[in-house]
Amino acid sequence: LLCLRELASKGIVHADIKPENILTNDESLVYTKVADFGTACFAEEQIFSYIQSRYYRAPEVLYGIKYGPPIDMWSLGCVVYELIIGQPLFAAQDEEELAEMLNIAIGSPPRSIYENSTKWSMLPHVASYSHDYRPSSGSSNNANSALYHMQPLAFMVSVLPRVISKFIRRCLMWDPDQRLTPEQALQTEWMQQEIDVLIAKRKKRDGENDKLHEPTSPKTSVRSLAKINKLDIKEPGTSKFGKRPHWHF
């Protein structure tokens, strides 16, 4: 999020946020880097139209609409779900299947998508969702396919702690203007909790490195986290392990 905040402040789109492009050098995830800027661009100078890995592709890219930094927040929402649940949220085999998944997960596309899309006629659409609905794609007949088991997003994230569920849902919205920005995301209840944990981890790691006389990573990153405005938050009701949120275990 700190990386995406910096990029967004300069009008830069990464355009390929996915687990493979989020790197760390240790199991504690104390130090993390965002990699692969091969398709990155300035929002006003879009070079590529076919970007983002399919599982993490935002509606703007899918439907051929002008995009910006919000597509990275969409991808981040998909990544968060995958890292916690253990499987991709939208494991579509092609763009047609992805369109059907989005229709089921977050409802029918708004008018703004229809009016500005260059690929509307090429993709399937679902007027409304019902539990008896089965997509038209061939894979819908395969009970092992991701499309066959697709459900509304609210249902799919209901197994997660409330703060995480809310975070994901606010990243995965049709309208890019309604999605969380990186700055807003850093101020959410969940991220404020994560920042506390990360600062403690980094201080501990830096202290261990100092004792071993090993080079340490710049401590400015810790200070930059500490400067983020803190919210007055209460511990989540789902926590079973004291003050530390249970999803850290």
Side-chain angles (χ1 to χ4, degrees):
L1 278 171
L2 291 172
C3 174
L4 293 183
R5 182 178 68 173
E6 184 69 16
L7 293 178
S9 70
K10 294 175 170 54
I12 298 174
V13 185
H14 182 280
D16 199 17
I17 296 295
K18 57 184 178 181
E20 293 88 339
N21 289 339
I22 303 174
L23 311 180
T24 183
N25 61 354
D26 60 70
E27 294 181 357
S28 66
L29 305 179
V30 171
Y31 298 107
T32 306
K33 300 291 185 181
V34 177
D36 192 356
F37 286 73
T39 55
C41 66
F42 287 101
E44 68 274 12
E45 300 176 359
Q46 297 177 8
I47 303 173
F48 308 104
S49 58
Y50 189 78
I51 56 172
Q52 294 188 299
S53 298
R54 190 186 313 115
Y55 291 2
Y56 317 98
R57 190 167 297 159
E60 303 93 286
V61 178
L62 175 64
Y63 284 93
I65 300 171
K66 184 176 176 61
Y67 58 83
I71 71 171
D72 290 334
M73 288 303 297
W74 174 281
S75 299
L76 181 63
C78 296
V79 168
V80 168
Y81 178 91
E82 181 174 345
L83 292 181
I84 297 175
I85 297 297
Q87 60 185 21
L89 176 57
F90 300 118
Q93 297 181 11
D94 51 44
E95 287 200 322
E96 289 75 16
E97 189 168 290
L98 177 58
E100 293 195 87
M101 285 184 166
L102 297 190
N103 274 259
I104 296 171
I106 59 176
S108 301
R111 179 179 293 274
S112 59
I113 297 287
Y114 170 77
E115 292 176 343
N116 297 291
S117 175
T118 60
K119 300 166 62 177
W120 181 264
S121 61
M122 301 164 56
L123 298 170
H125 309 287
V126 182
S128 61
Y129 172 82
S130 71
H131 289 288
D132 296 327
Y133 168 78
R134 279 294 173 262
S136 59
S137 298
S139 60
S140 65
N141 296 320
N142 181 1
N144 294 320
S145 73
L147 178 58
Y148 184 90
H149 294 283
M150 200 71 209
Q151 298 286 342
L153 181 61
F155 176 81
M156 298 185 73
V157 299
S158 62
V159 298
L160 301 174
R162 179 187 59 81
V163 290
I164 303 180
S165 170
K166 184 177 179 180
F167 183 95
I168 294 174
R169 292 179 66 182
R170 291 192 64 192
C171 287
L172 303 180
M173 306 186 74
W174 279 112
D175 187 347
D177 293 331
Q178 292 183 11
R179 285 177 212 148
L180 286 174
T181 65
E183 182 62 40
Q184 291 171 340
L186 286 167
Q187 300 299 328
T188 60
E189 185 177 352
W190 181 39
M191 281 299 107
Q192 291 290 303
Q193 296 166 353
E194 293 294 320
I195 288 168
D196 282 338
V197 173
L198 182 56
I199 290 176
K201 281 185 175 181
R202 288 189 174 181
K203 286 182 177 179
K204 180 179 179 181
R205 178 58 58 87
D206 289 341
E208 291 173 352
N209 287 340
D210 289 340
K211 291 179 180 179
L212 295 173
H213 302 290
E214 294 179 354
T216 60
S217 298
K219 296 184 180 180
T220 53
S221 56
V222 176
R223 290 196 292 270
S224 68
L225 285 171
K227 289 180 181 178
I228 297 173
N229 294 332
K230 300 291 295 177
L231 298 178
D232 182 16
I233 22 178
K234 299 179 181 179
E235 291 299 326
T238 54
S239 179
K240 299 179 181 178
F241 300 95
K243 293 184 177 181
R244 191 177 181 188
H246 74 266
W247 52 87
H248 287 292
F249 288 83

